[in-house]
Amino acid sequence: MAKGLLMTYVLWALGGPVGLHHLYLGRDSHALLWMLTLGGGGLGWLWEFWKLPGFVAQANRVQSWKQRPEEERPPLSLLRFASQIVVGVYFGLVALVSLSSMDNFYIVGLPLAVGLGVLLVAAVGNQTSDFKNTLGAAFLTSPVFYGRPIAILPISLAASITAQKHRRYKASVGPETLSVRLYRVGLAYLAFTGPLAYSTMYNTAATINYVAETLGSFLSWFSFFPLLGRLVESVLLLPCRIWWLLVGGPGFKSSRFQEWEKLYEFVDSFQDEKRQLAHQGGPCGGYGALAWKLRLPVKESRD
């Protein structure tokens, strides 16, 4: 059945940040990506306004690109490559927050999460990449940076380069019912959000503490690039600022979110804090003093 442009725009306006228009067009990987990132932080959703006619045309000529020769490769896309790195880092951060207590996390859990994030972006639209090689690159890079949260970045970079090297068009598959597609997307969504929700709601103090340590290690890498560092910090603060704009106030009303407000205040003042720590130092020393900055209980071992 042919897809309509008007219906696509209606679904984009009503449920674009959660990927309703992509589900309508049969772009399940893109829909899942939008569900997990809320439309790419809202920016990707807005940018798609001018891309929807092309998406509709692609969905209506799906049979033509499915018959492409297997040896033909899609053109290199710098936007897709950059998105793979960003989403890989995002998936890695979520894994650090929710799964870092598992055994051999830096050997198994972290590279798996980052690799799956990269593969999700690689599978957007009519393209995909080699599953084994992409995950293999992630697993081979992980031991080099064992035990360091900053390992997320090189793992994501290695997996993204491998995914681009093995990029290809998707093979022809038979039609699937909407219920089957929704079931598969729903399972993937629950697999991503379930551990994060559990860790956030039932281990709030330890989760905030670990997020602070991870952010400190990550942001410290940008100390030599002040403009880039401020840009990264602004991106991290954007969801909180949007939330405050929607609720009409600068505070979190629920007591469960008060410690998250401390984390927001920490990131907001990170540039000043870095200068103070450089001259005075903290009770825990260097960037490892983030829990002290947030006045959070010292977490116990997560092993």
Side-chain angles (χ1 to χ4, degrees), residues 61-255:
R61 64 171 184 266
V62 63
Q63 292 301 321
S64 63
W65 62 256
K66 281 185 177 179
Q67 299 302 323
R68 292 177 184 270
E70 291 184 1
E71 63 272 10
E72 186 177 351
R73 297 179 63 189
L76 179 65
S77 172
L78 293 179
L79 177 61
R80 186 182 291 261
F81 176 67
S83 300
Q84 287 173 341
I85 296 175
V86 172
V87 174
V89 169
Y90 169 62
F91 272 50
L93 288 173
V94 171
L96 277 169
V97 171
S98 56
L99 299 175
S100 57
S101 61
M102 66 178 288
D103 295 335
N104 300 318
F105 168 75
Y106 284 97
I107 297 296
V108 179
L110 184 60
L112 179 62
V114 174
L116 290 177
V118 172
L119 284 169
L120 179 59
V121 179
V124 165
N126 61 349
Q127 298 183 27
T128 187
S129 188
D130 187 87
F131 185 85
K132 293 182 179 179
N133 283 293
T134 302
L135 286 185
F139 278 98
L140 289 175
T141 308
S142 181
V144 179
F145 302 89
Y146 180 82
R148 302 176 184 175
I150 197 61
I152 299 171
L153 186 58
I155 294 174
S156 183
L157 182 61
S160 299
I161 293 174
T162 305
Q164 284 293 313
K165 181 179 179 181
H166 295 276
R167 66 189 185 278
R168 55 182 171 81
Y169 289 105
K170 291 179 179 177
S172 178
V173 294
E176 294 181 321
T177 63
L178 180 60
S179 59
V180 172
R181 293 168 51 209
L182 291 177
Y183 177 74
R184 184 173 57 243
V185 171
L187 284 181
Y189 183 83
L190 288 176
F192 181 91
T193 58
L196 180 62
Y198 177 85
S199 177
T200 301
M201 300 302 294
Y202 294 98
N203 198 18
T204 304
T207 300
I208 297 293
N209 193 21
Y210 201 82
V211 170
E213 292 177 356
T214 302
L215 284 176
S217 299
F218 186 74
L219 291 174
S220 65
W221 272 59
F222 297 96
S223 59
F224 296 104
F225 306 97
L227 292 178
L228 183 59
R230 285 194 290 271
L231 176 62
V232 172
E233 291 162 23
S234 298
V235 171
L236 291 173
L237 294 173
L238 183 61
C240 287
R241 287 171 177 163
I242 293 176
W243 171 266
W244 288 359
L245 181 64
L246 293 175
V247 301
F252 295 93
K253 300 183 182 302
S254 173
S255 59

Side-chain angles (χ1 to χ4, degrees), residues 13-77:
L14 296 178
V18 294
L20 286 183
H21 56 301
H22 289 304
L23 285 174
Y24 170 69
L25 296 175
R27 301 166 61 92
D28 293 351
S29 297
H30 209 159
L32 178 60
L33 178 63
W34 258 212
M35 291 177 189
L36 299 180
T37 63
L38 289 181
L43 298 179
W45 168 61
L46 294 175
W47 179 76
E48 280 185 335
F49 181 84
W50 293 272
K51 305 288 290 183
L52 292 183
F55 291 161
V56 173
Q58 186 182 87
N60 287 330
R61 64 171 184 266
V62 63
Q63 292 301 321
S64 63
W65 62 256
K66 281 185 177 179
Q67 299 302 323
R68 292 177 184 270
E70 291 184 1
E71 63 272 10
E72 186 177 351
R73 297 179 63 189
L76 179 65
S77 172

